[in-house]
Amino acid sequence: MSAIARAGSENTPAGAGLAPATRQIHVGYTPGTPQNTVAVPIYQSAAYEFESFAAARDTFALRRPGNIYSRNGNPTNAVLERRVADLEGGAGAVALGSGQAAVAVALLTLVAAAGPGSARGPGMPHHIVASNKLYGGTSDLLGDTFADLGIEVTFVDPLDLAAWEAALRETTRAVFLESIGNPILTVPDIAAIADLAHSRGVPVVIDNTMATPVLLRPIELGADIVVHSATKYLGGHGTSIAGVIVDAGTFDFTAEAPRWPRLTRPYHRFGDIVFTEEFDGSGGRTPFLVLARAKAVHDLGPTLSPFNAAQIIQGIETLELRIRRQTQTAFELAEFLVEQPQVARVHHPGLPGHPEHALAGRLLPEGLGSVFAFDLAADPVQVETFVDALELFALVANIGDTRSLVVHPATMTHSRLDEAGRAGAGIELTTVRLSIGLEDPADLRRDLAAALAALTPAAAASATDHSPALAH
């Protein structure tokens, strides 16, 4: 630390011997001085002072952990990373600017770990196997943007184990799925899918946004990497965009080292270090996470603001309380809707008779969260009437908020899917998705009942022979 940096300390006259232009920059603050704040502070800094030339050299060379530049990491973000990694039971984490960034960086890092596509010869692009029942933005990323990058993606029914097995190739770099499918709450057998993938040397990436670690910890079922849109339940208040990648640190990239040359061989860009030899997971520095931060995050810049990180940290402090309340209310409303003549089908595996009821009860014994969908027993044009009649449910493309939300997937979150894509995802033109907030359940029930009553007599007549139905 320089003498100038100490100017204005308790034992030094403020700015003694320094010109005003110097004092206005340096007086009153010493980098690295700890404070006794009880709340996590917001480190609103673009860069960081190194204690010495050697410290700077070794940090840039990845031989020493530390802050370099806030595009790569930030002390506030590091608290979020440690907290989510702990909740998920992982070895470490990387916080990013959005959930979409978390999915992209996780998958692109695995692709990067395999080296350039041309190394395997022409006609052998990198490959990913993914569930066909995903959040619409993720489907867009995998089905469109990844195709632009030359990465092939095969979409399969997450409930069809044979389809997962048949889709795996020598060039498959990841299996990707959601712990609970958005929006129709598909519940896949994560352990069985992980066993299949691992038998072929492929890591499993799970988006656990919908379940959260309160209801499910995918690493305990065999997942290697977990991603979150922290915007949703973790933040919980609809104020800040963020994403997190958690690495279990359990996937052995050295078991088939030639498949992962960027991790298992000297990497010239980083001083010929071998990531699997240099990083053992201590301090959260797994080979995968260090490569993700040093390559994908550094090069692409999907940076999380420390202010947003602090907002998410604050939200996590009430995560379990919110999830328990919202999960219970959602189930009560699903039970209500399944009895309504204007509802053709309710997509909630917690309901008896649902095809995935037994599996959901085994994997998620404490419930399935606050999001579920249902199909109206009406003409598709009546969806607008129903949605516009709601007063407490806000028409918002988000989930996991304290306030209750509604979307029409076919024209909103999944609007980029064609008819076949929607069919594969289980989405009808009459499908409505709800995200249940913290309002009183009776008020929400009355709001839904009034909106259903607003449907035209013709719509009601079409449901004359209706009997309560569950999703198939």
Side-chain angles (χ1 to χ4, degrees):
M1 181 172 55
S2 67
I4 293 177
R6 290 194 297 269
S9 66
E10 185 176 343
N11 300 316
T12 306
L18 301 176
T22 303
R23 296 202 308 272
Q24 68 189 18
I25 295 172
H26 292 281
V27 168
Y29 175 67
T30 301
T33 304
Q35 304 296 331
N36 61 336
T37 59
V38 66
V40 178
I42 299 172
Y43 291 91
Q44 193 68 39
S45 182
Y48 306 89
E49 181 178 357
F50 296 96
E51 64 186 52
S52 66
F53 180 89
R57 178 195 61 214
D58 291 346
T59 305
F60 269 85
L62 304 182
R63 291 191 294 269
R64 170 181 175 147
N67 301 308
I68 294 176
Y69 192 67
S70 280
R71 182 174 76 244
N72 296 23
N74 174 283
T76 306
N77 300 11
V79 175
L80 174 61
E81 292 165 353
R82 291 191 293 269
R83 192 158 295 178
V84 177
D86 177 80
L87 291 172
E88 286 288 5
V94 171
L96 297 155
S98 68
Q100 189 83 326
V103 173
V105 168
L107 296 177
L108 289 175
T109 298
L110 291 172
V111 167
S118 60
R120 295 174 309 286
M124 296 185 68
H126 293 293
H127 178 244
I128 293 168
V129 184
S131 165
N132 67 358
K133 293 178 174 60
L134 300 170
Y135 160 62
T138 306
S139 297
D140 294 341
L141 171 69
L142 301 184
D144 185 33
T145 299
F146 272 26
D148 292 342
L149 299 176
I151 302 169
E152 291 190 354
V153 179
T154 300
F155 291 97
V156 300
D157 182 343
L159 303 179
D160 187 345
L161 291 178
W164 285 106
E165 185 171 24
L168 294 170
R169 307 176 188 171
E170 176 63 26
T171 55
T172 302
R173 303 305 166 202
V175 157
F176 179 82
L177 62 154
E178 295 174 347
S179 55
I180 301 175
N182 181 354
I184 64 166
L185 273 65
T186 309
V187 178
D189 191 339
I190 295 173
I193 295 168
D195 286 344
L196 282 176
H198 293 159
S199 71
R200 301 283 290 274
V202 178
V204 177
V205 183
I206 301 286
D207 185 333
N208 200 33
T209 299
M210 291 271 283
T212 82
V214 174
L215 301 176
L216 181 71
R217 304 214 304 174
I219 289 172
E220 295 175 352
L221 299 174
D224 303 293
I225 297 161
V226 174
V227 298
H228 279 275
S229 172
T231 312
K232 310 301 192 297
Y233 290 107
L234 299 188
H237 293 77
T239 63
S240 303
I241 302 292
V244 182
I245 302 171
V246 178
D247 182 14
T250 53
F251 187 81
D252 186 4
F253 291 98
T254 65
E256 295 184 64
R259 287 170 59 91
W260 313 100
R262 287 275 175 80
L263 290 172
T264 62
R265 297 175 184 170
Y267 197 160
H268 180 69
R269 170 179 171 177
F270 299 105
D272 287 328
I273 65 172
V274 178
F275 279 70
T276 51
E277 296 176 0
E278 188 75 18
F279 308 108
D280 61 3
S282 59
R285 303 179 87 206
T286 68
F288 169 81
L289 289 177
V290 175
L291 182 64
R293 195 185 299 273
K295 184 175 175 65
V297 177
H298 175 276
D299 294 356
L300 301 176
T303 306
L304 174 63
S305 155
F307 178 84
N308 281 18
Q311 292 277 291
I312 303 300
I313 291 167
Q314 194 169 63
I316 289 174
E317 292 177 357
T318 61
L319 177 64
E320 184 175 19
L321 294 172
R322 289 183 284 106
I323 291 294
R324 302 292 183 203
R325 167 77 177 267
Q326 291 169 300
T327 296
Q328 179 60 34
T329 302
F331 183 67
E332 291 176 8
L333 294 177
E335 289 183 308
F336 164 73
L337 287 170
V338 80
E339 297 295 337
Q340 304 312 304
Q342 303 94 333
V343 175
R345 182 173 294 110
V346 178
H347 302 278
H348 195 302
L351 295 169
H354 189 283
E356 294 145 57
H357 180 70
L359 181 60
R362 177 166 59 85
L363 296 182
L364 295 137
E366 297 182 78
L368 291 104
S370 77
V371 176
F372 70 96
F374 63 96
D375 300 339
L376 289 170
D379 190 281
V381 298
Q382 290 293 306
V383 173
E384 183 175 354
T385 300
F386 170 78
V387 171
D388 285 347
L390 291 166
E391 295 185 356
L392 294 179
F393 286 82
L395 186 58
V396 173
N398 195 16
I399 62 172
D401 202 336
T402 57
R403 56 193 57 79
S404 292
L405 312 174
V406 60
V407 300
H408 181 232
T411 58
M412 295 175 67
T413 56
H414 294 71
S415 61
R416 304 292 184 267
L417 297 179
D418 58 18
E419 185 175 354
R422 287 197 308 273
I427 297 169
E428 305 285 345
L429 293 178
T430 55
T431 300
V432 176
R433 187 190 74 186
L434 302 179
S435 175
I436 308 304
L438 295 175
E439 301 93 341
D440 188 280
D443 291 332
L444 296 176
R445 186 166 54 248
R446 280 192 292 269
D447 194 31
L448 289 169
L452 290 171
L455 297 178
T456 65
S462 71
T464 299
D465 297 325
H466 168 81
S467 58
L470 298 171
H472 292 284

